[in-house]
Amino acid sequence: MNRSTGARLCATAAVGALSLALITGCSGGSSDDAEDGAKDTGSSASSSAPAAKALTSAELEKLLLAQGAVSGYKVDSGDDLLPKSKKDVKTDKPACDPLAWATGGLAPGDTGANASNSLTEDKKPSGAPTSLEDVSEADIENAFKINITFVGLSSYEGDGAEKAMKAVSDGVKACSGGYGVTADGENSKVTKVAEIEGAAGGDESVGFAEDVDMDGDGTATFHTQVVRKGNTVATFYTADFTALTGGKAAEVPAAVVQAQLARLK
């Protein structure tokens, strides 16, 4: 949790550094490599497994939210912030792998069909400074008042989507005491995992909160939502810097979840 993206002004540079610090250790990017899939961690959660054929990564890309789909949010690929493959994300407890993958848009189950992007809250501050000399403490504080949500879609054959959901549910229980993560060579520590209410709108959902160690400077809490609709699984992970600076949990925006689920069959 130590990478920085840099930025035009020191205020936005600080935001970039913190955003990567929070996201990198517990997330990943999209991948088309089938061998990156999670292992089967149990039997189907239900007997109503969809018989539909899995969508391809290209088909999933078309189902992702596009610019203008959610009022007040900018849509971006998110590729610059996240590891590219499951191979780049390793935990010290295999049961926790689906949690680490879900936080960054990777498929939590065994599939090579995956697509992801990000939505950033689009705030338009008035009177923004135009030079470093004009940056005030208030400008720096306001720069942290943003949230960014990473959205991942993955598709499965047979009852694969239900098995993916069970892997996440089992992982929440198995990893309640925390786990270590290495992403792109950076080490991070999740100190606690707890189940939260799952998002509405799908056939099945699992929500979980993770407390993340901030390099010895306390912890920050982030929420992840994993929702199955048919044989497609959608994952949502939010870094909310307004919540972080106020000591609150970073919750996934319901508007983003509902807009994305509405695009799935």
Side-chain angles (χ1 to χ4, degrees):
M1 296 191 175
N2 297 303
R3 297 192 305 176
S4 171
T5 61
R8 185 173 59 87
L9 298 176
C10 63
T12 53
V15 174
L18 185 55
S19 67
L20 287 181
L22 299 177
I23 297 166
T24 304
C26 304
S27 56
S30 60
S31 170
D32 292 336
D33 191 346
E35 70 183 27
D36 283 349
K39 295 180 180 179
D40 179 1
T41 60
S43 61
S44 171
S46 129
S47 62
S48 58
K53 181 177 176 63
L55 298 175
T56 66
S57 294
E59 289 170 328
L60 290 173
E61 287 281 356
K62 296 178 181 179
L63 293 176
L64 287 168
L65 292 170
Q67 188 62 42
V70 184
S71 177
Y73 286 85
K74 290 182 178 179
V75 177
D76 188 78
S77 68
D79 292 344
D80 293 339
L81 296 176
L82 303 171
K84 307 301 182 185
S85 167
K86 288 181 179 179
K87 294 176 180 178
D88 300 325
V89 182
K90 301 182 183 300
T91 73
D92 58 6
K93 298 178 182 178
C96 305
D97 287 348
L99 307 187
W101 296 331
T103 58
L106 285 167
D110 186 8
T111 183
N114 189 205
S116 62
N117 66 358
S118 65
L119 289 87
T120 304
E121 190 174 14
D122 186 11
K123 290 190 174 180
K124 300 179 175 62
S126 59
T130 57
S131 67
L132 290 175
E133 291 76 12
D134 296 330
V135 176
S136 66
E137 290 185 7
D139 293 324
I140 295 176
E141 181 179 353
N142 289 333
F144 281 88
K145 294 181 178 179
I146 61 172
N147 72 47
I148 180 169
T149 299
F150 292 90
V151 181
L153 299 179
S154 52
S155 187
Y156 303 79
E157 300 282 354
D159 63 352
E162 291 175 322
K163 288 181 177 179
M165 295 298 296
K166 188 176 188 302
V168 173
S169 181
D170 289 348
V172 173
K173 297 179 179 68
C175 306
S176 60
Y179 60 95
V181 181
T182 300
D184 286 347
E186 300 291 344
N187 297 320
S188 309
K189 179 65 179 178
V190 176
T191 62
K192 178 182 177 181
V193 180
E195 185 175 2
I196 60 174
E197 184 177 359
D203 299 320
E204 186 180 2
S205 66
V206 177
F208 59 92
E210 294 180 306
D211 289 353
V212 180
D213 177 58
M214 300 303 292
D215 290 333
D217 189 20
T219 61
T221 303
F222 302 91
H223 288 182
T224 300
Q225 291 287 348
V226 183
V227 186
R228 178 180 68 82
K229 195 167 182 181
N231 65 336
T232 299
V233 173
T235 63
F236 307 86
Y237 167 78
T238 296
D240 184 337
F241 300 104
T242 301
L244 176 64
T245 56
K248 301 178 182 179
E251 298 183 0
V252 178
V256 173
V257 175
Q258 297 308 313
Q260 181 59 79
L261 295 180
R263 292 182 58 83
L264 305 181
K265 297 179 179 180

